Short mmCIF file of all heavy atoms in Angstrom, two decimals:
data_model
loop_
_atom_site.label_atom_id
_atom_site.label_comp_id
_atom_site.label_asym_id
_atom_site.label_seq_id
_atom_site.Cartn_x
_atom_site.Cartn_y
_atom_site.Cartn_z
N ALA A 8 -10.07 28.44 0.90
CA ALA A 8 -9.18 27.70 1.79
C ALA A 8 -8.10 28.64 2.29
O ALA A 8 -7.57 29.45 1.55
CB ALA A 8 -8.57 26.52 1.07
N ALA A 9 -7.74 28.50 3.56
CA ALA A 9 -6.86 29.48 4.17
C ALA A 9 -5.41 29.06 4.24
O ALA A 9 -4.52 29.89 4.16
CB ALA A 9 -7.35 29.80 5.59
N ASN A 10 -5.15 27.77 4.40
CA ASN A 10 -3.79 27.35 4.65
C ASN A 10 -3.26 26.55 3.48
O ASN A 10 -3.84 25.57 3.08
CB ASN A 10 -3.75 26.51 5.93
CG ASN A 10 -2.34 26.11 6.31
OD1 ASN A 10 -1.77 25.22 5.70
ND2 ASN A 10 -1.79 26.78 7.31
N THR A 11 -2.13 26.97 2.91
CA THR A 11 -1.65 26.31 1.70
C THR A 11 -1.21 24.89 1.95
O THR A 11 -1.40 24.02 1.12
CB THR A 11 -0.48 27.11 1.10
OG1 THR A 11 0.55 27.24 2.07
CG2 THR A 11 -0.93 28.47 0.64
N GLN A 12 -0.63 24.62 3.12
CA GLN A 12 -0.15 23.27 3.36
C GLN A 12 -1.31 22.33 3.64
O GLN A 12 -1.31 21.18 3.21
CB GLN A 12 0.81 23.26 4.55
CG GLN A 12 1.38 21.86 4.84
CD GLN A 12 2.32 21.86 6.01
OE1 GLN A 12 2.59 22.89 6.59
NE2 GLN A 12 2.81 20.69 6.37
N ILE A 13 -2.31 22.81 4.37
CA ILE A 13 -3.40 21.92 4.77
C ILE A 13 -4.52 21.91 3.75
O ILE A 13 -4.92 20.87 3.26
CB ILE A 13 -3.95 22.33 6.16
CG1 ILE A 13 -2.86 22.09 7.22
CG2 ILE A 13 -5.18 21.55 6.51
CD1 ILE A 13 -3.30 22.46 8.61
N ALA A 14 -5.04 23.08 3.41
CA ALA A 14 -6.25 23.06 2.60
C ALA A 14 -6.21 23.97 1.39
O ALA A 14 -6.98 23.79 0.46
CB ALA A 14 -7.45 23.46 3.47
N GLY A 15 -5.34 24.97 1.38
CA GLY A 15 -5.42 25.98 0.34
C GLY A 15 -5.05 25.49 -1.04
O GLY A 15 -5.59 25.95 -2.02
N GLN A 16 -4.09 24.60 -1.11
CA GLN A 16 -3.67 24.10 -2.41
C GLN A 16 -3.66 22.58 -2.38
O GLN A 16 -3.10 21.98 -1.47
CB GLN A 16 -2.28 24.63 -2.77
CG GLN A 16 -2.27 26.14 -2.98
CD GLN A 16 -0.90 26.62 -3.40
OE1 GLN A 16 0.10 26.22 -2.83
NE2 GLN A 16 -0.85 27.48 -4.39
N ILE A 17 -4.26 22.00 -3.36
CA ILE A 17 -4.33 20.55 -3.43
C ILE A 17 -3.54 20.08 -4.63
O ILE A 17 -3.88 20.40 -5.76
CB ILE A 17 -5.79 20.06 -3.53
CG1 ILE A 17 -6.52 20.41 -2.23
CG2 ILE A 17 -5.86 18.58 -3.79
CD1 ILE A 17 -7.96 20.02 -2.23
N PRO A 18 -2.46 19.34 -4.40
CA PRO A 18 -1.64 18.90 -5.52
C PRO A 18 -2.44 18.03 -6.48
O PRO A 18 -3.08 17.08 -6.07
CB PRO A 18 -0.52 18.09 -4.84
CG PRO A 18 -0.51 18.57 -3.43
CD PRO A 18 -1.92 18.93 -3.12
N GLN A 19 -2.41 18.38 -7.73
CA GLN A 19 -3.11 17.60 -8.75
C GLN A 19 -2.29 16.41 -9.22
O GLN A 19 -2.83 15.48 -9.76
CB GLN A 19 -3.41 18.50 -9.97
CG GLN A 19 -4.42 19.60 -9.68
CD GLN A 19 -5.84 19.09 -9.78
OE1 GLN A 19 -6.09 17.90 -9.67
NE2 GLN A 19 -6.78 19.98 -9.98
N GLN A 20 -0.98 16.45 -8.97
CA GLN A 20 -0.07 15.39 -9.40
C GLN A 20 -0.24 15.13 -10.90
O GLN A 20 -0.29 13.99 -11.35
CB GLN A 20 -0.34 14.10 -8.61
CG GLN A 20 -0.04 14.26 -7.13
CD GLN A 20 -0.40 13.03 -6.33
OE1 GLN A 20 -1.48 12.47 -6.50
NE2 GLN A 20 0.48 12.59 -5.47
N ARG A 21 -0.36 16.22 -11.65
CA ARG A 21 -0.52 16.07 -13.10
C ARG A 21 0.70 15.38 -13.69
O ARG A 21 1.83 15.65 -13.32
CB ARG A 21 -0.71 17.44 -13.75
CG ARG A 21 -2.05 18.08 -13.38
CD ARG A 21 -2.35 19.25 -14.30
NE ARG A 21 -3.64 19.82 -14.01
CZ ARG A 21 -3.82 20.96 -13.37
NH1 ARG A 21 -2.79 21.65 -12.95
NH2 ARG A 21 -5.04 21.43 -13.14
N GLY A 22 0.45 14.50 -14.63
CA GLY A 22 1.52 13.78 -15.28
C GLY A 22 1.83 12.44 -14.64
O GLY A 22 2.49 11.60 -15.24
N GLU A 23 1.35 12.22 -13.40
CA GLU A 23 1.58 10.94 -12.75
C GLU A 23 0.48 9.97 -13.16
O GLU A 23 -0.71 10.25 -13.03
CB GLU A 23 1.59 11.11 -11.23
CG GLU A 23 1.90 9.81 -10.51
CD GLU A 23 2.00 9.98 -9.01
OE1 GLU A 23 1.15 10.68 -8.43
OE2 GLU A 23 2.94 9.43 -8.41
N SER A 24 0.87 8.81 -13.65
CA SER A 24 -0.12 7.82 -14.08
C SER A 24 -0.71 7.11 -12.88
O SER A 24 -0.17 7.15 -11.76
CB SER A 24 0.54 6.79 -15.00
OG SER A 24 1.43 5.97 -14.27
N LEU A 25 -1.84 6.45 -13.11
CA LEU A 25 -2.47 5.66 -12.05
C LEU A 25 -1.51 4.57 -11.59
O LEU A 25 -1.41 4.28 -10.39
CB LEU A 25 -3.78 5.06 -12.57
CG LEU A 25 -4.90 6.08 -12.76
CD1 LEU A 25 -5.93 5.57 -13.77
CD2 LEU A 25 -5.60 6.37 -11.43
N LEU A 26 -0.80 3.95 -12.52
CA LEU A 26 0.16 2.91 -12.17
C LEU A 26 1.24 3.47 -11.25
O LEU A 26 1.55 2.87 -10.21
CB LEU A 26 0.78 2.32 -13.44
CG LEU A 26 1.76 1.15 -13.26
CD1 LEU A 26 1.79 0.28 -14.52
CD2 LEU A 26 3.19 1.63 -12.96
N GLU A 27 1.80 4.60 -11.61
CA GLU A 27 2.87 5.20 -10.80
C GLU A 27 2.37 5.55 -9.40
O GLU A 27 3.07 5.33 -8.40
CB GLU A 27 3.40 6.46 -11.49
CG GLU A 27 4.18 6.19 -12.77
CD GLU A 27 4.44 7.45 -13.57
OE1 GLU A 27 3.67 8.43 -13.42
OE2 GLU A 27 5.41 7.45 -14.33
N ALA A 28 1.16 6.09 -9.33
CA ALA A 28 0.61 6.48 -8.03
C ALA A 28 0.34 5.25 -7.17
O ALA A 28 0.66 5.24 -5.97
CB ALA A 28 -0.68 7.27 -8.23
N ALA A 29 -0.25 4.21 -7.75
CA ALA A 29 -0.55 2.99 -6.99
C ALA A 29 0.72 2.37 -6.43
O ALA A 29 0.78 1.96 -5.26
CB ALA A 29 -1.29 1.99 -7.88
N VAL A 30 1.76 2.31 -7.26
CA VAL A 30 3.04 1.75 -6.82
C VAL A 30 3.64 2.60 -5.70
O VAL A 30 4.16 2.08 -4.70
CB VAL A 30 4.02 1.64 -8.01
CG1 VAL A 30 5.43 1.32 -7.52
CG2 VAL A 30 3.54 0.57 -8.98
N ARG A 31 3.53 3.91 -5.84
CA ARG A 31 4.10 4.81 -4.83
C ARG A 31 3.39 4.66 -3.49
O ARG A 31 4.02 4.67 -2.43
CB ARG A 31 4.00 6.26 -5.32
CG ARG A 31 4.71 7.27 -4.43
CD ARG A 31 4.93 8.57 -5.17
NE ARG A 31 3.69 9.08 -5.73
CZ ARG A 31 2.78 9.77 -5.03
NH1 ARG A 31 3.00 10.02 -3.75
NH2 ARG A 31 1.68 10.22 -5.60
N TYR A 32 2.06 4.53 -3.52
CA TYR A 32 1.31 4.35 -2.26
C TYR A 32 1.75 3.08 -1.54
O TYR A 32 1.91 3.06 -0.31
CB TYR A 32 -0.19 4.30 -2.53
CG TYR A 32 -0.77 5.59 -3.08
CD1 TYR A 32 -1.83 5.57 -3.98
CD2 TYR A 32 -0.25 6.83 -2.72
CE1 TYR A 32 -2.37 6.73 -4.49
CE2 TYR A 32 -0.77 8.01 -3.24
CZ TYR A 32 -1.83 7.94 -4.13
OH TYR A 32 -2.35 9.11 -4.64
N ALA A 33 1.93 2.01 -2.31
CA ALA A 33 2.35 0.74 -1.70
C ALA A 33 3.80 0.82 -1.21
O ALA A 33 4.13 0.34 -0.12
CB ALA A 33 2.19 -0.39 -2.71
N GLU A 34 4.64 1.45 -2.01
CA GLU A 34 6.07 1.47 -1.73
C GLU A 34 6.43 2.46 -0.63
O GLU A 34 7.19 2.14 0.29
CB GLU A 34 6.82 1.82 -3.01
CG GLU A 34 8.30 1.51 -2.98
CD GLU A 34 8.88 1.58 -4.40
OE1 GLU A 34 8.73 2.64 -5.06
OE2 GLU A 34 9.45 0.58 -4.83
N GLU A 35 5.86 3.68 -0.72
CA GLU A 35 6.26 4.74 0.21
C GLU A 35 5.42 4.79 1.48
O GLU A 35 5.93 5.10 2.55
CB GLU A 35 6.20 6.09 -0.50
CG GLU A 35 7.18 6.22 -1.66
CD GLU A 35 7.11 7.57 -2.34
OE1 GLU A 35 6.39 8.46 -1.82
OE2 GLU A 35 7.75 7.74 -3.39
N ARG A 36 4.11 4.51 1.35
CA ARG A 36 3.24 4.60 2.51
C ARG A 36 2.87 3.24 3.10
O ARG A 36 2.25 3.17 4.16
CB ARG A 36 1.95 5.35 2.14
CG ARG A 36 2.14 6.75 1.63
CD ARG A 36 2.77 7.68 2.64
NE ARG A 36 1.92 8.00 3.77
CZ ARG A 36 2.05 9.09 4.53
NH1 ARG A 36 3.00 9.96 4.25
NH2 ARG A 36 1.25 9.30 5.54
N HIS A 37 3.21 2.18 2.38
CA HIS A 37 2.86 0.82 2.82
C HIS A 37 1.35 0.64 2.94
O HIS A 37 0.87 -0.09 3.80
CB HIS A 37 3.56 0.47 4.13
CG HIS A 37 5.05 0.63 4.07
ND1 HIS A 37 5.85 -0.15 3.27
CD2 HIS A 37 5.88 1.50 4.70
CE1 HIS A 37 7.11 0.23 3.40
NE2 HIS A 37 7.16 1.23 4.25
N TRP A 38 0.61 1.33 2.06
CA TRP A 38 -0.84 1.16 2.00
C TRP A 38 -1.17 0.00 1.08
O TRP A 38 -0.54 -0.19 0.03
CB TRP A 38 -1.50 2.42 1.44
CG TRP A 38 -1.48 3.60 2.35
CD1 TRP A 38 -1.31 3.60 3.71
CD2 TRP A 38 -1.62 4.97 1.98
NE1 TRP A 38 -1.35 4.88 4.20
CE2 TRP A 38 -1.54 5.75 3.15
CE3 TRP A 38 -1.83 5.61 0.75
CZ2 TRP A 38 -1.66 7.13 3.15
CZ3 TRP A 38 -1.94 7.00 0.74
CH2 TRP A 38 -1.86 7.74 1.93
N ASP A 39 -2.18 -0.78 1.45
CA ASP A 39 -2.72 -1.76 0.52
C ASP A 39 -3.49 -1.03 -0.57
O ASP A 39 -4.16 -0.02 -0.30
CB ASP A 39 -3.67 -2.73 1.24
CG ASP A 39 -2.92 -3.76 2.07
OD1 ASP A 39 -1.68 -3.70 2.11
OD2 ASP A 39 -3.58 -4.62 2.68
N VAL A 40 -3.38 -1.52 -1.79
CA VAL A 40 -4.09 -0.92 -2.92
C VAL A 40 -4.75 -2.03 -3.72
O VAL A 40 -4.31 -3.18 -3.68
CB VAL A 40 -3.12 -0.13 -3.85
CG1 VAL A 40 -2.48 1.03 -3.12
CG2 VAL A 40 -2.04 -1.04 -4.42
N PHE A 41 -5.82 -1.69 -4.42
CA PHE A 41 -6.39 -2.65 -5.37
C PHE A 41 -7.05 -1.88 -6.51
O PHE A 41 -7.54 -0.77 -6.31
CB PHE A 41 -7.36 -3.62 -4.70
CG PHE A 41 -8.66 -3.03 -4.22
CD1 PHE A 41 -9.82 -3.11 -4.98
CD2 PHE A 41 -8.72 -2.39 -2.98
CE1 PHE A 41 -11.01 -2.58 -4.52
CE2 PHE A 41 -9.92 -1.86 -2.52
CZ PHE A 41 -11.07 -1.97 -3.28
N PRO A 42 -7.04 -2.45 -7.72
CA PRO A 42 -7.61 -1.76 -8.87
C PRO A 42 -9.13 -1.90 -8.90
O PRO A 42 -9.68 -2.98 -8.68
CB PRO A 42 -6.97 -2.49 -10.07
CG PRO A 42 -6.69 -3.86 -9.56
CD PRO A 42 -6.39 -3.72 -8.10
N GLY A 43 -9.79 -0.79 -9.18
CA GLY A 43 -11.24 -0.80 -9.30
C GLY A 43 -11.67 -0.69 -10.75
O GLY A 43 -10.93 -1.05 -11.67
N THR A 44 -12.87 -0.20 -10.96
CA THR A 44 -13.38 -0.01 -12.32
C THR A 44 -12.62 1.12 -13.00
O THR A 44 -11.80 1.79 -12.40
CB THR A 44 -14.88 0.31 -12.28
OG1 THR A 44 -15.10 1.44 -11.40
CG2 THR A 44 -15.70 -0.88 -11.78
N TRP A 45 -12.92 1.32 -14.26
CA TRP A 45 -12.26 2.38 -15.04
C TRP A 45 -13.28 3.02 -15.97
O TRP A 45 -14.44 2.57 -16.07
CB TRP A 45 -11.09 1.80 -15.83
CG TRP A 45 -11.47 0.66 -16.73
CD1 TRP A 45 -11.84 0.72 -18.06
CD2 TRP A 45 -11.52 -0.72 -16.38
NE1 TRP A 45 -12.13 -0.53 -18.55
CE2 TRP A 45 -11.93 -1.43 -17.52
CE3 TRP A 45 -11.27 -1.43 -15.19
CZ2 TRP A 45 -12.10 -2.82 -17.52
CZ3 TRP A 45 -11.43 -2.81 -15.19
CH2 TRP A 45 -11.82 -3.48 -16.34
N LEU A 46 -12.88 4.08 -16.63
CA LEU A 46 -13.77 4.80 -17.52
C LEU A 46 -13.56 4.36 -18.96
O LEU A 46 -12.42 4.15 -19.39
CB LEU A 46 -13.56 6.31 -17.39
CG LEU A 46 -13.90 6.90 -16.01
CD1 LEU A 46 -13.47 8.36 -15.95
CD2 LEU A 46 -15.38 6.76 -15.71
N GLU A 47 -14.66 4.24 -19.69
CA GLU A 47 -14.61 3.88 -21.11
C GLU A 47 -15.43 4.88 -21.90
O GLU A 47 -16.47 5.35 -21.43
CB GLU A 47 -15.18 2.47 -21.32
CG GLU A 47 -14.40 1.38 -20.60
CD GLU A 47 -15.05 0.01 -20.75
OE1 GLU A 47 -16.29 -0.03 -20.92
OE2 GLU A 47 -14.32 -1.00 -20.68
#
Side-chain angles (χ1 to χ4, degrees):
N10 184 284
T11 57
Q12 181 180 358
I13 294 180
Q16 293 183 315
I17 294 178
Q19 293 277 21
Q20 296 176 314
R21 291 194 177 105
E23 183 176 43
S24 70
L25 289 157
L26 183 153
E27 291 168 336
V30 169
R31 187 163 53 81
Y32 295 147
E34 196 166 55
E35 295 180 8
R36 301 298 291 203
H37 305 294
W38 290 339
D39 284 2
V40 298
F41 69 98
T44 54
W45 56 92
L46 296 173
E47 298 176 333

